[in-house]
Structures are given as C-alpha cells and as structure tokens.
Amino acid sequence: MPSRSELHQSSKGAGKQPKKVHWVRRILLTIILLLLVSGVAFGALAYYKMNRTVSKMQAPSQMTKKSDQLTDAKKPVSYLLLGTDTGDLGRDYKGRTDTMIVMTINPKTKTTTMTSVARDTLVTVDGQQMKINAAYAYGSAGSAMAAVENLLNIKINGGYILVNMGGLVKMVDAVGGVDVASPLTFTTEGDDTQADSAKQYSFTAGQTYHMDGNEALAFSRMRHEDPNGDYGRQMRQQLIIRAVLKKATNVGTLFNDTLLNTVSNNVQTDLSTHSMQNLAMSYRGAFGNVKQDQLHGTTQYMGSLGDVEVMSPAEISRVHDAITAQMSE
C-alpha cells in the first residue's frame, strides 16, 4: 500500500502536467459506451467478432451478477466510467483516473444522465486525504468506485468501464479519420519539429477538415483561444464524437478488425456480455436522451496536495438527490 508521502507526490504530479486532458477521456468514454450498446448482431461472423472483443475487455467482479439481474429486470442501473491517463504522452504506468463519470440509465423514463466528478475533488480514503483521481492508483477500480459512492452517498449498482486515454487517436484512425467543420478559426499549440501528436494545426471557421487521430485530438483540446472557453471546447468535442459515431456505427466499420482491436486493447469492464446485450435491446431509448451534470466545488490550496476542489454539503446533496431521482423506478 502506498505511503502517505507517495500518495501526496502522486497528486502533486498531476498538477505538473502541461495540460489537463480529462475531457479527452470523456470523448473516448462516450464513444466506447455507445459502440458497445449498439452492438446488434449482424450475422454469425459479426457476432463472433463482437463477442471476441468483449471477452478481451472483461474482468468479472462481484458487481457482474448484480448488473445481469438488474438489466434482466429492466431496472434503472448505474455505472462508473473511468478514464485513466495510461498511454498518453508515452506513459505506461497504472495512472490516475482523471475522468470519473457516474452514468445512470433509466429505461422507464428513457433518460441517461452523466454526472462528472472533478479529478481534484478532495476525499478521504482509508483515513488519508487525497484527490479523488488517486483512488484508482491507490487500489483498483473498486477503490475508485468506493470513493465516489462515499462522496455522494450513493450506490453504484452496475459496475465500471475503465478506458485507456491512449486509445482516442487510434480509434479515430481506425475508422479512417473523421470529417469535421471547424466552428472557429484558430491554431493549436505545438512545434512542427516534434512528434505528430505535438504538431501545430490550423483551422478556419466554416471549413471542413478530414482529420486523423492526432489532428482530431488537437482540434478537441484547444481552450484558451476559444471565446466561449470550456463551452466552446465541449462543442468541438461533441463534433468529434458525432463524426466518429457516424462512421463507426455503420455495419462495415463497426465490425472491422482494427476498430474492434482498438476497443478491446483500451477498455476494461466488469459488465458481462449478457448485460451489454440487455442494454442494447432494452435500454436503447434511454441512450437517445442524454443529460449532463457536474459536481462543482471551490478551489482551495492544501499544502502538499496542491489545489483541490472542495465540495460543499449543499452541492453534494444536490447531486445526490439528482442521481437518486434518476435511479427511482
């Protein structure tokens, strides 16, 4: 078990990253989720390929059977979506979960709600204060789930989906690139003498670009030059998501080996194939109505932990009530 100093150092290290890229994981998580639940069998070969991909991703846990039972009964179900930074910028260690999203799916109301938890949210795990993104590195996906449950006083009843951030570029490339019209004119940061992932890219408002993975990543990550800040960046992220899904969900692309291998090598989940089939068949209406929420805190400096996000009781209560209402039958 890591020492207190190691945990603090891990949290401090997160602050040294040149850019916060947890939004990238949100894109990837959304793409992965929608690809999984849209995996309707198109013949024996297609079914075999999808089943082979899912089998590589699966890591059964005590939640697996519970998820099967809930989806069999068409009950509201919740999952924790985790995005780890492993694979980004050459990193190959376990990493932190800089994206943590509680996803609740209610087939009766036909609504899916995705509630983001800030990576720097202050929590206490086993008596030690840390940023919530360190809970996974501290233990496992189960540790991350417990940290979120304790913070919001909720019960995640379905399981988890863990995504390696390094898969986004490969996924865009696997579908042959995407066509996206830029909503504004800007040039990304970077240096043309460096690796492809660090190159500069220029975009002109109203012009459509055929982007490979690295260009799509650069297009999505820019924030400071956007007059709408994070809101503008979110819109560009949605453009990439829609473009990937448009290409990936046609029969030919969805079942191509490159895309399936990319998914299987960058995702781990305790959802069973049975639960995924249930979601695809019985919860499809809920995936057409996706609402977003976010836990908002106040930034405070806490010595060796650096800046953290402290959530007020009122904000925690608000989010708790919203998730609880979504999970009601």
Side-chain angles (χ1 to χ4, degrees):
M1 180 180 295
S3 67
R4 182 187 297 266
S5 61
E6 287 173 332
L7 287 167
H8 286 175
Q9 186 62 35
S10 173
S11 296
K12 288 172 67 179
K16 295 180 180 178
Q17 296 181 45
K19 297 175 180 177
K20 289 186 177 180
V21 289
H22 48 285
W23 47 266
V24 179
R25 302 173 189 86
R26 292 193 183 114
I27 295 176
L28 187 55
L29 285 165
T30 304
I31 293 172
I32 291 291
L33 174 66
L34 294 178
L35 286 178
L36 290 179
V37 300
S38 63
V40 181
F42 293 96
L45 178 60
Y47 181 82
Y48 167 76
K49 287 184 175 182
M50 181 61 75
N51 193 57
R52 180 186 62 187
T53 298
V54 171
S55 296
K56 288 184 64 177
M57 301 183 324
Q58 289 172 328
S61 73
Q62 60 181 356
M63 300 291 291
T64 304
K65 184 176 181 180
K66 178 65 173 177
S67 181
D68 288 349
Q69 293 171 341
L70 288 167
T71 55
D72 278 341
K74 301 181 178 60
K75 300 288 187 180
V77 63
S78 58
Y79 301 98
L80 181 63
L81 309 185
L82 299 166
T84 177
D85 56 10
T86 305
D88 179 46
L89 304 179
R91 295 191 290 266
D92 58 4
Y93 54 86
K94 185 175 181 181
R96 296 169 297 277
T97 50
D98 284 347
T99 287
M100 306 180 81
I101 301 174
V102 178
M103 181 183 69
T104 57
I105 313 167
N106 190 316
K108 183 177 179 179
T109 62
K110 296 183 178 180
T111 304
T112 295
T113 302
M114 302 179 73
T115 305
S116 297
V117 178
R119 52 172 280 180
D120 293 333
T121 300
L122 182 66
V123 295
T124 300
V125 177
D126 290 344
Q128 301 188 65
Q129 285 191 317
M130 64 180 72
K131 296 178 180 180
I132 200 166
N133 68 339
Y136 171 70
Y138 177 80
S140 63
S143 302
M145 190 178 301
V148 172
E149 289 178 332
N150 291 335
L151 173 69
L152 298 176
N153 189 25
I154 61 172
K155 186 64 178 178
I156 297 169
N157 61 7
Y160 72 91
I161 300 173
L162 175 68
V163 179
N164 178 352
M165 175 193 162
L168 177 63
V169 171
K170 295 177 183 177
M171 184 168 292
V172 173
D173 288 338
V175 299
V178 293
D179 296 322
V180 177
S182 179
L184 72 163
T185 299
F186 66 95
T187 298
T188 66
E189 299 178 8
D191 183 342
D192 288 327
T193 64
Q194 299 179 27
D196 287 344
S197 59
K199 283 185 177 180
Q200 281 188 333
Y201 295 96
S202 294
F203 303 96
T204 301
Q207 185 169 334
T208 297
Y209 297 85
H210 183 75
M211 304 180 188
D212 64 11
N214 286 313
E215 189 171 7
L217 179 67
F219 176 81
S220 299
R221 80 189 314 168
M222 188 279 290
R223 179 186 62 177
H224 298 297
E225 293 183 46
D226 195 315
N228 294 316
D230 277 337
Y231 293 103
R233 181 168 64 176
Q234 291 168 13
M235 183 178 70
R236 281 179 280 112
Q237 293 166 18
Q238 293 172 7
L239 290 174
I240 296 296
I241 291 172
R242 290 201 297 267
V244 172
L245 289 174
K246 182 178 180 179
K247 296 195 70 174
T249 53
N250 73 67
V251 176
T253 304
L254 178 60
F255 293 104
N256 82 64
D257 289 332
T258 301
L259 178 58
L260 290 175
N261 286 336
T262 299
V263 172
S264 65
N265 291 329
N266 289 281
V267 179
Q268 177 181 304
T269 181
D270 58 355
L271 272 71
S272 69
T273 305
H274 182 71
S275 283
M276 291 182 191
Q277 291 171 339
N278 283 344
L279 288 169
M281 298 304 295
S282 303
Y283 291 70
R284 191 177 303 174
F287 288 105
N289 180 24
V290 179
K291 298 182 179 180
Q292 294 179 284
D293 196 1
Q294 187 175 35
L295 190 66
H296 292 276
T298 302
T299 303
Q300 296 183 20
Y301 178 74
M302 292 197 63
S304 59
L305 285 177
D307 288 335
V308 299
E309 293 297 309
V310 178
M311 304 301 165
S312 69
E315 176 66 356
I316 290 175
S317 179
R318 180 191 71 80
V319 172
H320 164 84
D321 292 346
I323 292 176
T324 301
Q326 171 69 355
M327 292 298 293
S328 65
E329 299 179 34

